[in-house]
Amino acid sequence: MSVSKHAPKNSGLGVAIDLGTSTIEAALVNPAMDGGERILARLKCPNPQARWGGDVVSRINEIRKNPEMLTLLQQEAVNACNGLIKGFMDKGRLNDFNGIAELAIAGNTAMEHMLLGVNPVCLSSPPYRPAFLKARRVPARRLGLLSGPDAMLYAFPLIGGFVGGDTVAVSLLLGLRKEKSTVLAIDIGTNSEIVLRANNALFAASAAAGPAFEAGNISSGMLGQNGAIEGSEVVRGELRLKVIGDVLPKGVCGSGLVDIAASLLRLGAIDSTGRIKNKDEIATNIADRIMEDPAGNSIVLYKGAGARITLTQNDLRMLQNAKAAIRAGINLLMKKAGVKENDIEKVYIAGAFGGRLNPEALSAIGLISREWTGRVEFKADAALLGATIALGSENAKNEAERIAESTKYVSLSGSMHFEKEFIKNMNLPAFS
């Protein structure tokens, strides 16, 4: 958690929430303050809805089978948000729930539907049209959110079936609607949204990447906390791990997964198809870490007292699927906008990675082009920060709504062009 040096007031505070598929993050905000001083505290937690599926499609299918599941999934989301709000009080940053005057929530289209109790089954089949697109303003207490008696919840407007309020919040933070240059923004997550600003227009798409970039469904996966392997480097032919907090490793977070894959390519431990090689195929010392299995080899990243952290063949396949989906989405947006790789002047990477992920690793696995590495700027938690801007500002809310209305939504679901691009981008670039 990060805090400002100022103690919160007893009233007039706001709560911004990034309602992610895998992770929910909240910020306690004093709208009367300026700049970074506005954010008094931040907390996050896993999305408890994940027990019904790691992706929104699985959760929507649960609702399709049993409509009563909508109420349960809504309550799970509300309870998680309330848990974070209670956390602000436990940390001494909030004196009284009645001091919360406003909430702003940004999530993907399905997550916002579920939070508001709106049936999202319309998103599970063509034409994948949301039940609503406009921003919603509802009394927070009506949903059961901890807040003052008159507090309103502002739910960000949506762009399309799989591009929601979180993408609008990212675009608001980055000022994309008014951007003059050609800019690509990628919000990496379970549902990875891609926005391209080109030729004075905004284009957006969503690629169902799955939770690999957030270390979900990874054998030794964990959130980016103390003990998480966040990166790696190759030193004199050896794999060196970077661990958050400089403590013994406990698992691998998303940035570590990408960085390790890039290092293993460099060491020759995996080939361009993503296959982990057998020991006798590897000339470097990394061969000593290989555990061979007919069902797929694995690599020991760390072995200590009572703990062994491995990267399995399935882990790499999950990463390949995720990066292929995102890269396919990028390529199709560029084609739609009529721009080429060398036209992209800046690339924003949003999501929970922050500055932990290096552009060279993203290039090494083929998620971005090599020529973009020097144009990458990381915007950690951009959706959350975009949501904080809306608190206490009608101008910001109006701009969010203009962004949603003007963005051209490109649907990738069921697209043969997307399938072709996805298959074409499954392999990893050959190391050179």
Side-chain angles (χ1 to χ4, degrees):
M1 181 186 75
S2 60
V3 300
S4 80
K5 61 185 177 182
H6 296 279
K9 296 180 179 180
N10 291 324
S11 62
L13 298 181
V15 174
I17 296 175
D18 175 9
L19 193 64
T21 306
S22 299
T23 305
I24 301 174
E25 187 167 10
L28 182 66
V29 176
N30 185 344
M33 302 298 291
D34 295 322
E37 297 297 323
R38 298 179 81 229
I39 299 179
L40 304 171
R42 288 168 55 170
L43 290 171
K44 61 183 175 181
C45 69
N47 188 329
Q49 293 179 343
R51 76 187 73 172
W52 291 280
D55 56 82
V56 294
V57 174
S58 298
R59 298 172 204 176
I60 292 172
N61 285 338
E62 290 295 322
I63 295 170
R64 179 191 291 278
K65 291 184 289 186
N66 179 8
E68 293 182 3
M69 282 296 301
L70 175 59
T71 301
L72 178 58
L73 289 170
Q74 179 190 33
Q75 195 57 54
E76 288 286 340
V78 169
N79 290 345
C81 293
N82 284 342
L84 296 174
I85 294 170
K86 289 176 183 177
F88 294 140
M89 182 172 284
D90 294 341
K91 296 291 184 180
R93 305 307 301 166
L94 177 65
N95 297 331
D96 192 320
F97 299 135
N98 289 324
I100 298 173
E102 184 183 9
L103 296 95
I105 288 185
N108 66 53
T109 303
M111 287 304 305
E112 287 201 17
H113 275 60
M114 285 185 272
L115 177 76
L116 296 171
V118 178
N119 197 315
V121 169
C122 53
L123 303 173
S124 64
S125 59
Y128 308 105
R129 186 171 293 129
F132 69 94
L133 287 174
K134 301 284 188 181
R136 292 286 183 98
R137 302 182 192 224
V138 298
R141 284 192 174 184
R142 183 185 297 171
L143 293 179
L145 291 164
L146 295 172
S147 60
D150 300 319
M152 297 294 290
L153 166 70
Y154 178 79
F156 267 68
L158 312 173
I159 293 172
F162 295 101
V163 180
D166 47 359
T167 303
V168 176
V170 171
S171 299
L172 177 66
L173 178 73
L174 300 178
L176 292 184
R177 192 177 71 89
K178 301 174 182 178
E179 178 65 59
K180 300 301 181 185
S181 54
T182 302
V183 174
L184 180 67
I186 312 164
D187 189 4
I188 297 178
T190 304
N191 295 291
S192 294
E193 292 82 19
I194 308 155
V195 182
L196 178 62
R197 174 67 178 180
N199 300 322
N200 294 316
L202 279 171
F203 303 84
S206 175
F213 282 110
E214 295 173 283
N217 293 344
I218 300 303
S219 58
S220 298
M222 65 178 290
L223 294 176
Q225 302 168 340
N226 279 354
I229 299 171
E230 63 173 342
S232 66
E233 59 183 340
V234 176
V235 180
R236 293 187 292 275
E238 296 282 351
L239 182 69
R240 298 283 179 86
L241 304 176
K242 301 175 184 177
V243 183
I244 298 176
D246 291 324
V247 296
L248 293 177
K250 298 177 183 177
V252 183
C253 66
S255 62
L257 179 64
V258 175
D259 227 26
I260 289 166
S263 294
L264 294 176
L265 275 169
R266 182 179 175 185
L267 288 167
I270 57 180
D271 63 23
S272 62
T273 70
R275 180 182 66 90
I276 300 176
K277 297 178 181 178
N278 293 327
K279 291 183 178 184
D280 60 6
E281 298 177 86
I282 303 171
T284 62
N285 291 337
I286 195 72
D288 297 334
R289 295 175 179 254
I290 302 292
M291 294 194 303
E292 295 182 357
D293 190 309
N297 295 342
S298 57
I299 299 175
V300 178
L301 301 176
Y302 171 79
K303 186 176 181 180
R308 185 170 68 179
I309 301 169
T310 60
L311 183 75
T312 69
Q313 184 65 71
N314 186 62
D315 294 338
L316 281 171
R317 295 297 182 225
M318 295 285 290
L319 177 63
Q320 286 178 264
N321 285 334
K323 80 93 181 178
I326 294 172
R327 184 65 212 220
I330 292 171
N331 290 350
L332 290 178
L333 276 193
M334 289 195 300
K335 184 176 182 180
K336 184 76 173 179
V339 299
K340 300 186 183 302
E341 288 185 2
N342 57 8
D343 294 324
I344 305 295
E345 298 170 71
K346 183 176 286 187
V347 179
Y348 289 109
I349 304 292
F353 286 136
R356 294 194 178 109
L357 194 62
N358 74 72
E360 287 76 16
L362 286 175
S363 170
I365 67 168
L367 193 145
I368 64 172
S369 300
R370 291 191 185 277
E371 62 189 286
W372 296 348
T373 55
R375 306 170 196 175
V376 170
E377 185 175 334
F378 289 97
K379 290 290 183 180
D381 306 315
L384 178 68
L385 297 179
T388 69
I389 295 172
L391 291 169
S393 173
E394 284 302 311
N395 287 338
K397 292 183 179 74
N398 290 337
E399 175 63 10
E401 285 149 34
R402 284 191 288 266
I403 289 169
E405 290 168 1
S406 63
T407 301
K408 302 177 190 299
Y409 174 55
V410 179
S411 177
L412 303 181
S413 294
S415 165
M416 289 187 63
H417 297 294
F418 175 76
E419 293 298 328
K420 288 179 181 178
E421 283 290 334
F422 176 82
I423 293 169
K424 189 166 73 175
N425 285 278
M426 269 296 291
N427 279 1
L428 303 169
F431 179 76
S432 57

